[in-house]
Amino acid sequence: MSIVQIKDKTFSVSIPEEEILRRVQAVADKINRDMDGKNPLFLAVLNGAFVFAADLMRRVTIPCEISFVKLASYQGVTSTGKVSEVLGINEDLTDRTVVIIEDIVDTGLTMKRMIETLGTRNPASIHICALLVKPDKLQVDLNIEYAAMEIPNDFIVGYGLDYDQQGRNLRDIYTLVKE
């Protein structure tokens, strides 16, 4: 499907699944090299990062753990600018190497809040792993060590990303068609 209709919006394929999976493998390879011997704790941000996290974890070959956290900052197609922690972290992060797995970093406000929250739990280090980054939209300075792809400031769905909770199940990434 090169074009999909979700509710009142039309989207077209912008990144096919094969390309996504190539980029996920490249990120996993870098993590495997950089994190060897560290037993990192991956924290996947729900809901959007669950597909990326699953594909990434199947390619990570070093000893590691995974858990999930839920933060919210979107409503419809725009960021609300307010981040609220919905589901917290139960693991002891003291002296742990933590890798946040996020589907997309656009303004960076969600990630900044997440790093601030995690920092109070005394981890050894915190790293950012994002499937997608919108460099033109970033409002805060972040060190995104593991970015699979940079994209323009378009609204996208698929591969875990949604429009009003729809479209997460699409295998490719689709961009909103300007109407």
Side-chain angles (χ1 to χ4, degrees):
M1 291 185 293
S2 61
I3 303 245
V4 295
Q5 182 77 28
I6 301 174
K7 296 190 173 186
D8 59 335
K9 307 272 185 232
T10 303
F11 297 85
S12 64
V13 170
S14 54
I15 309 171
E17 180 183 28
E18 298 77 30
E19 176 66 16
I20 297 166
L21 294 177
R22 269 195 300 278
R23 302 290 185 97
V24 171
Q25 183 64 58
V27 168
D29 291 345
K30 187 171 192 300
I31 289 171
N32 288 330
R33 283 190 305 273
D34 293 354
M35 300 285 167
D36 190 31
K38 295 185 179 175
N39 190 29
L41 171 63
F42 290 92
L43 290 177
V45 181
L46 295 173
N47 289 336
F50 80 99
V51 175
F52 174 44
D55 283 345
L56 180 68
M57 293 305 291
R58 284 193 291 262
R59 289 163 175 81
V60 169
T61 57
I62 58 171
C64 62
E65 298 170 34
I66 187 167
S67 191
F68 299 87
V69 65
K70 187 166 182 175
L71 300 171
S73 67
Y74 262 85
Q75 190 167 43
V77 297
T78 55
S79 178
T80 62
K82 293 186 230 167
V83 178
S84 58
E85 188 169 351
V86 179
L87 176 68
I89 302 155
N90 299 321
E91 288 74 18
D92 179 7
L93 303 184
T94 305
D95 298 324
R96 294 293 311 265
T97 297
V98 175
V99 180
I100 302 167
I101 302 175
E102 180 66 290
D103 57 351
I104 186 166
V105 176
D106 50 23
T107 65
L109 297 173
T110 300
M111 189 57 59
K112 181 176 184 279
R113 166 74 189 274
M114 178 97 172
I115 290 168
E116 289 168 354
T117 300
L118 295 177
T120 66
R121 295 169 175 253
N122 304 312
S125 60
I126 301 172
H127 307 269
I128 303 170
C129 177
L131 173 66
L132 303 165
V133 179
K134 293 181 176 180
D136 295 338
K137 196 161 180 206
L138 278 173
Q139 295 177 13
V140 294
D141 188 30
L142 294 172
N143 179 18
I144 305 171
E145 295 170 74
Y146 307 103
M149 292 175 264
E150 290 186 353
I151 62 168
N153 188 23
D154 295 325
F155 188 78
I156 57 172
V157 298
Y159 197 73
L161 294 108
D162 73 298
Y163 167 50
D164 279 347
Q165 300 303 322
Q166 299 292 310
R168 291 189 196 278
N169 58 317
L170 298 169
R171 298 174 79 88
D172 304 309
I173 292 175
Y174 292 73
T175 299
L176 178 66
V177 174
K178 301 296 180 214
E179 297 168 347

